[in-house]
Amino acid sequence: MSTSGFSLFLGLLQLVGFLLPLRTYAIRKDIGFLEERICRTTVQGRYLISDDEGNVCNALSLDSRTRCCPLKGEKFSCHGCNILSQCCSSYEFCVSCCLNPTRTLLEKVVKIKMAKPATAGTYRTVFDFCAGRCRHSSESVVHENAYQSKFHHCFSLTSNASGANLTQVETRLLGIDVIVGRQGDSCDDVCKSRGQLCVMNKLSLLNQCDVMQRYMTCKGSCLASAGADQPAEVADDAPRDLYPGACLYSRTQSMLSCDGSHQYTRRLCPCA
């Protein structure tokens, strides 16, 4: 290539470079690396730790970089918790159970004061509420210096009108595991699968709307019915005339039975 031809070629390159938009060479500022998730935790656990995602893990298995529990096991676990009273025997599982959005709503939590004085602030997040509420709660003590039971880590928002009744039911259910069965199973089947027996005389305690609504979704409905498969929750895939998602309690106590079942219901069972 001649000198004049090479000079012309360089000139063309400079012209093209001038005409191209400058943003061609710029670094896009709207695209970047995803920030690594950093978890908040209950920190003080000697053996267990709960993170703000609702996971519980051994303190030694906590990721040293992200401070998160490994993504395995059950999220929002209520292991060792009594769902009726919303109290647990373990602080970490209390926090995990409390973090379940179906149990604790942010819009309610942010209205609750962290302490009794009028100047006390409110909780900013559900994790703040659960971590604080499970650590100390007047709901779990009597006479200010003694625990009501081993379930002394409590996360209930407030007491309600049915609180007294639920406390009585909880007392009468001590030693009983309340289990939501699989669709179509009888309580005999449900308890047997756990190596236990259905306790017939406890069915009447569970045959109440306020009790069922603590264990089941109930989709806003609790209806009086009649059937040996009750108390129970109607499966979502049930025909519309059976009220999918609703909870059913029996108006006739004598019909309550451990061996009753229905293809479209999930029973609430007392096992021991």
Side-chain angles (χ1 to χ4, degrees):
M1 178 181 294
S2 65
T3 302
S4 60
F6 182 73
S7 299
L8 179 61
F9 176 72
L10 287 179
L12 287 173
L13 282 180
Q14 290 176 346
L15 180 61
V16 170
F18 178 79
L19 293 176
L20 283 176
L22 291 178
R23 60 187 175 90
T24 302
Y25 299 97
I27 296 175
R28 289 282 301 276
K29 294 183 178 180
D30 58 334
I31 295 179
F33 294 107
L34 292 176
E35 292 186 8
E36 191 169 39
R37 170 83 170 101
I38 302 298
C39 292
R40 298 176 62 195
T41 71
T42 50
V43 300
Q44 78 272 27
R46 184 175 180 181
Y47 302 108
L48 296 175
I49 282 181
S50 176
D51 64 26
D52 57 4
E53 295 288 339
N55 300 299
V56 177
C57 63
N58 185 293
L60 296 177
S61 68
L62 195 72
D63 189 304
S64 60
R65 187 177 68 259
T66 65
R67 303 298 296 168
C68 297
C69 284
L71 296 178
K72 61 181 180 179
E74 183 180 358
K75 193 172 183 177
F76 307 132
S77 175
C78 295
H79 176 73
C81 298
N82 186 314
I83 306 301
L84 278 174
S85 62
Q86 295 186 321
C87 294
C88 309
S89 58
S90 162
Y91 173 67
E92 288 75 24
F93 281 106
C94 176
V95 174
S96 175
C97 191
C98 171
L99 284 171
N100 190 325
T102 64
R103 293 192 179 91
T104 310
L105 300 177
L106 177 61
E107 54 264 34
K108 291 186 177 181
V109 163
V110 295
K111 299 177 182 178
I112 298 175
K113 287 186 173 294
M114 291 184 285
K116 290 183 178 180
T119 55
T122 56
Y123 293 103
R124 294 183 299 108
T125 68
V126 174
F127 180 75
D128 289 332
F129 168 81
C130 294
R133 185 74 169 177
C134 285
R135 186 180 297 111
H136 50 78
S137 169
S138 59
E139 302 282 339
S140 64
V141 298
V142 290
H143 308 304
E144 298 185 354
N145 60 2
Y147 289 119
Q148 294 179 11
S149 71
K150 68 176 182 179
F151 302 99
H152 54 256
H153 298 286
C154 303
F155 61 89
S156 56
L157 286 168
T158 56
S159 299
N160 55 33
S162 61
N165 175 56
L166 289 173
T167 300
Q168 294 174 8
V169 171
E170 178 192 359
T171 300
R172 295 173 65 185
L173 284 174
L174 287 176
I176 300 295
D177 292 330
V178 180
I179 309 298
V180 178
R182 294 180 302 181
Q183 184 175 333
D185 280 358
S186 69
C187 280
D188 280 337
D189 296 329
V190 173
C191 296
K192 185 178 179 180
S193 68
R194 299 171 56 88
Q196 297 176 307
L197 297 174
C198 173
V199 185
M200 174 70 183
N201 62 2
K202 299 296 184 181
L203 279 170
S204 60
L205 295 176
L206 306 181
N207 190 45
Q208 306 175 57
C209 287
D210 54 355
V211 175
M212 283 190 285
Q213 288 167 346
R214 288 298 185 100
Y215 291 92
M216 297 167 153
T217 305
C218 297
K219 298 292 179 67
S221 300
C222 186
L223 310 173
S225 184
D229 64 308
Q230 294 153 21
E233 183 178 49
V234 183
D236 290 336
D237 63 351
R240 292 185 63 183
D241 61 323
L242 295 182
Y243 303 101
C247 284
L248 305 176
Y249 69 93
S250 178
R251 290 172 294 189
T252 309
Q253 297 282 352
S254 60
M255 293 189 69
L256 298 177
S257 167
C258 283
D259 61 3
S261 65
H262 191 284
Q263 64 174 322
Y264 287 120
T265 62
R266 302 166 62 229
R267 297 203 60 185
L268 188 62
C269 305
C271 303

